Amino acid sequence: MKSFQHCTIVLFLLFLTSCASTKVMRLKPVEQESIFDGGKQIVKQERDDIKIVASYDGQYQKYMIFDVEVFNNTSQPLTVSPKDFLFTPLDENKQTLQSLDGKYVYSYEGVEPQEQMNLIRREIAFQESKIKRARVVNTVLFVGGIAALIASSGRYTESAWKTARVAETVVQVAQVKRIIDHENFYSRMNKLEHDGKMWQQENFRTTTLLPGTSIRGGVFLEANSHAKFVQLSYQGTTNPINFLFEQWFEVRR
């Protein structure tokens, strides 16, 4: 009977897992001609001999990613940066989203991969120093608890008994704390290592393009889930090059 109940619970949990759904952010270009290539809806514009080709490429953590290629068709070198791109979330009336108090409007500039890698390196150094400090604290607690246990052993007074109980608790706390500290450390370091590799492989970073050359890669901009439309804007020309996208969420099981 217990075996049957266990199997029923397992099957029920599997059923709940299979029914779980996720929301996927979707974007499609509007108010401009687009073509499909490799499953992506691509838009392009050219101004001041600078051509931008862009498509929505998905989401990573809190960022939306645009696959962007910038062509320098001018006769002069052109410095291009992810920060040349501005993302503006819009409401259903295509007006810029504002904070609840109306004091500021939302806009986000592209993320420079090198800056993210520098932040990750600093965070790795901080986590390493943090675990070193934790090891010292855990060692002090453990050694102090063991010393108190040894000092109270063989004594049968009420004071010695209380001291032994406290010392035993201190030793247990030190052991548990050590396990938790190391689990948190390795979990955090694994995430930092993964993020570091991701930013390292992104080739769209501040670059000087020679005439007739281009750069292509992922431009990361912070997403805003409240937007109904979004505007991707390249600010590296006299007049910005704007692309308008409709935003919605698709439920997937």
Side-chain angles (χ1 to χ4, degrees), residues 9 37 55 80 130-131 133 149 155 158 163 182 208 248:
I9 292 172
D37 184 15
S55 63
V80 178
K130 183 178 176 181
I131 193 65
R133 293 194 300 271
L149 280 174
R155 298 168 60 190
E158 183 177 353
T163 300
H182 279 79
T208 298
W248 76 99

Side-chain angles (χ1 to χ4, degrees), residues 31-239:
E31 297 183 355
Q32 188 177 340
E33 288 187 13
S34 62
I35 62 171
F36 281 92
D37 184 15
K40 297 180 182 179
Q41 200 167 355
I42 300 171
V43 288
K44 62 181 179 180
Q45 284 193 62
E46 185 168 357
R47 184 172 296 146
D48 299 336
D49 292 326
I50 299 173
K51 183 169 72 173
I52 309 293
V53 180
S55 63
Y56 176 62
D57 203 28
Q59 195 171 7
Y60 177 77
Q61 296 179 358
K62 66 177 182 177
Y63 302 104
M64 55 174 54
I65 311 168
F66 288 90
D67 183 2
V68 173
E69 187 167 9
V70 179
F71 295 82
N72 179 15
N73 295 328
T74 72
S75 59
Q76 301 294 326
L78 173 69
T79 299
V80 178
S81 168
K83 294 189 175 184
D84 292 332
F85 290 87
L86 189 69
F87 163 65
T88 306
L90 310 174
D91 61 19
E92 61 275 7
N93 298 316
K94 300 177 185 176
Q95 299 298 311
T96 305
L97 283 182
Q98 298 184 7
S99 60
L100 292 177
D101 56 15
K103 291 184 178 180
Y104 64 91
V105 295
Y106 291 103
S107 65
Y108 312 91
E109 67 178 13
V111 178
E112 170 61 60
Q114 188 60 51
E115 292 181 359
Q116 294 299 310
M117 290 169 62
N118 292 340
L119 289 174
I120 288 171
R121 291 192 188 100
R122 287 199 289 269
E123 180 63 18
I124 287 174
F126 170 75
Q127 293 297 327
E128 289 175 343
S129 63
K130 183 178 176 181
I131 193 65
K132 288 178 181 178
R133 293 194 300 271
R135 285 169 182 162
V136 172
V137 172
N138 294 337
T139 300
V140 170
L141 287 174
F142 185 80
V143 172
I146 293 297
L149 280 174
I150 294 174
S152 61
S153 62
R155 298 168 60 190
Y156 301 100
T157 64
E158 183 177 353
S159 176
W161 181 79
K162 290 181 179 179
T163 300
R165 290 293 301 272
V166 172
E168 184 178 356
T169 301
V170 169
V171 171
Q172 292 175 349
V173 168
Q175 291 174 326
V176 172
K177 184 177 180 298
R178 177 183 176 279
I179 294 172
I180 293 175
D181 288 341
H182 279 79
E183 286 181 349
N184 290 340
F185 172 75
Y186 289 119
S187 175
R188 182 61 178 159
M189 292 296 283
N190 286 338
K191 183 181 183 304
L192 289 169
E193 183 179 358
H194 175 269
D195 289 347
K197 289 180 179 178
M198 193 281 299
W199 289 114
Q200 188 173 24
Q201 71 185 10
E202 285 303 325
N203 61 349
F204 199 112
R205 57 191 68 200
T206 300
T207 306
T208 298
L209 296 178
L210 296 176
T213 62
S214 68
I215 181 174
R216 179 181 176 181
V219 174
F220 289 67
L221 301 112
E222 189 169 338
N224 189 309
S225 60
H226 300 292
K228 301 300 180 183
F229 294 89
V230 300
Q231 179 177 274
L232 176 66
S233 178
Y234 175 70
Q235 306 283 311
T237 53
T238 304
N239 296 310

